[in-house]
Amino acid sequence: MRRILVTGGAGFIGSNFVRFWIDHHPEDRITNLDQLTYAGNVENLKAVESSPHYKFVRGDICDSELVRRLFHAEEVDTVVHFAAESHVDRSILAPDDFIRTNVHGTYTLLETARVYWLAARFLHVSTDEVYGSLGPEDPAFNEAAPYRPNSPYSASKAAADHLMRAYHHTYGLPAIITNCSNNYGPYQFPEKLVPLTIRQAIKGESIPVYGVGANIRDWIYVEDHCSGLEAVLERGKVGETYNIGGGNQWRNIDLVETICDLLDEKLGAGTSSRRSLIRFVQDRPGHDLRYAMDISKITRELGWRPRETLATGIAKTVSWYLEHQEWVERVITGGYRDYFETQYGSRLGRG
Ligand code: NAD
Ligand code: TDX
């Protein structure tokens, strides 16, 4: 039985991971430490909140005293570290929180784990963006690709990866890094391209595409990311890095048009296709052209590969958002924040 500390488990990937893990490993215990920033939503975890093997703690990963107490009280043997500021555009507008949470927060967790001495492993969930940008014909990033982060977000994740490496090399901490490509799927905050496009297209509102939409991302369905993390936690080697990717490299414009077409099919197109909502807007500063992941290492060594193609994953995702429009509106209006007080306020002595 593992005693896992998940950080950032109320966010998009973290909440998918917590549900996935409790489904697949009901004997393990999960403590979910999340500060509930704008991106954290405990409504995502309704399905597991009554499980005796799950506990939610609201708190900051930079709070060393709290982190230390949790390691001891929960007898943590495994850390799966998702907590981060994750949106590139926000990092361009205001980098401060990115440095604080992504760098100092990771350091705080590592330092606590070092003193406490973790028995199993400390997995840092990182990103392909640390490797920088590829040209149209360049080979995909493998684990030996140099670090060339281009945004405050990717630089802060790169710094965290370097700390992970140093804590393994210097202190022998059982650290593992995964670098994953762009995720999409249920419960993604509607600031990111896929859920933003779906919402705008459902509502018949303009869909902003940066530049000419020629940037390429390697898209992975979030459940495939979770199964990749499971493979690494169960069979990965400490001190190693594993790339995780979906093997679906698409130009943004093609992805946005596909979403428009799917919604036209499902809801009817009326007089004009939803493609007519697309607006090419000013580009993101320093916008990376292309990411693509070489996943041969994790496939060869751990036997993992993604299950979904973009066609199958995006169809599931569009259906989920159509069925959960209320969730999206509660996120947009901030209504989801009330749920925390109703559900946890009195239990935590604040209601
Ligand atoms: P998200 O923004 O949806 O969720 C982040 C979560 O972290 C939120 O619940 C938030 O409340 C919490 N958090 C933020 N600051 C905190 C702090 N100081 N203390 C405690 N909790 C805090 O992010 P996501 O898209 O789910 O990404 C999760 C992780 O995966 C991140 O580390 C991100 O860098 C990485 N990643 C994301 C993608 C992607 O496509 N979304 C791809 C590769 C890697
Ligand atoms: O309105 C938009 N219009 C647009 O054209 C937005 C929000 C994005 N884009 C473009 C920028 C990117 O080329 O779409 C692409 C995807 O953008 P995001 O959804 O913001 O993701 P990205 O910047 O690629 O980063 C994501 O993948 C790697 C996650 O947010 C990161 O956390 C992860 O590390």
Side-chain angles (χ1 to χ4, degrees), residues 86 127 129 153 182 192-193 196 208 210 217 252 284 287:
S86 70
T127 171
E129 303 199 11
Y153 163 70
N182 283 60
K192 306 275 165 63
L193 181 67
L196 178 78
Y210 296 160
R217 297 291 182 265
N252 291 342
R284 171 185 283 173
H287 196 172

Side-chain angles (χ1 to χ4, degrees), residues 293-306:
M293 289 301 245
D294 176 343
I295 57 166
S296 50
K297 177 176 173 182
I298 188 171
T299 302
R300 191 178 59 245
E301 293 185 11
L302 308 185
W304 175 87
R305 64 181 71 248

Side-chain angles (χ1 to χ4, degrees), residues 37-88:
T37 67
Y38 80 94
N41 180 352
V42 279
E43 285 185 354
N44 301 356
L45 292 155
K46 273 186 181 164
V48 298
E49 68 195 6
S50 58
S51 160
H53 286 215
Y54 169 76
K55 180 172 178 180
F56 178 75
V57 177
R58 185 177 192 174
D60 184 351
I61 56 166
C62 300
D63 179 346
S64 54
E65 180 49 34
L66 168 66
V67 172
R68 196 191 59 76
R69 258 191 287 122
L70 275 181
F71 268 78
H72 283 275
E74 303 302 330
E75 297 173 28
V76 171
D77 59 29
T78 305
V79 176
V80 188
H81 175 32
F82 296 93
E85 289 293 333
S86 70
H87 192 39
V88 173

Side-chain angles (χ1 to χ4, degrees), residues 225-301:
H225 187 186
C226 294
S227 70
L229 297 173
E230 180 187 44
V232 171
L233 278 168
E234 291 192 323
R235 303 186 291 286
K237 260 178 67 188
V238 299
E240 293 287 318
T241 288
Y242 296 91
N243 281 354
I244 301 178
N248 294 290
Q249 294 167 35
W250 282 47
R251 292 191 313 159
N252 291 342
I253 186 65
D254 298 330
L255 174 58
V256 167
E257 287 182 351
T258 299
I259 292 173
C260 290
D261 296 349
L262 268 171
L263 282 164
D264 285 349
E265 258 173 59
K266 284 179 184 284
L267 301 175
T271 49
S272 64
S273 153
R274 286 177 174 74
R275 289 186 183 206
S276 64
L277 300 169
I278 295 172
R279 301 283 178 274
F280 293 101
V281 300
Q282 192 183 13
D283 211 349
R284 171 185 283 173
H287 196 172
D288 284 341
L289 177 66
R290 174 174 166 246
Y291 307 135
M293 289 301 245
D294 176 343
I295 57 166
S296 50
K297 177 176 173 182
I298 188 171
T299 302
R300 191 178 59 245
E301 293 185 11

Side-chain angles (χ1 to χ4, degrees), residues 12-13 126 128 179-186 188 194 217-229 243-250 255 293 295 298 304-310 313-314 317:
F12 162 49
I13 306 172
S126 189
D128 56 1
N179 293 93
C180 187
S181 62
N182 283 60
N183 285 228
Y184 66 96
Q188 187 166 28
V194 167
R217 297 291 182 265
D218 179 346
W219 294 96
I220 183 169
Y221 189 62
V222 63
E223 201 174 311
D224 279 333
H225 187 186
C226 294
S227 70
L229 297 173
N243 281 354
I244 301 178
N248 294 290
Q249 294 167 35
W250 282 47
L255 174 58
M293 289 301 245
I295 57 166
I298 188 171
W304 175 87
R305 64 181 71 248
R307 285 200 176 160
E308 303 289 345
T309 63
L310 192 69
I314 208 74
T317 304

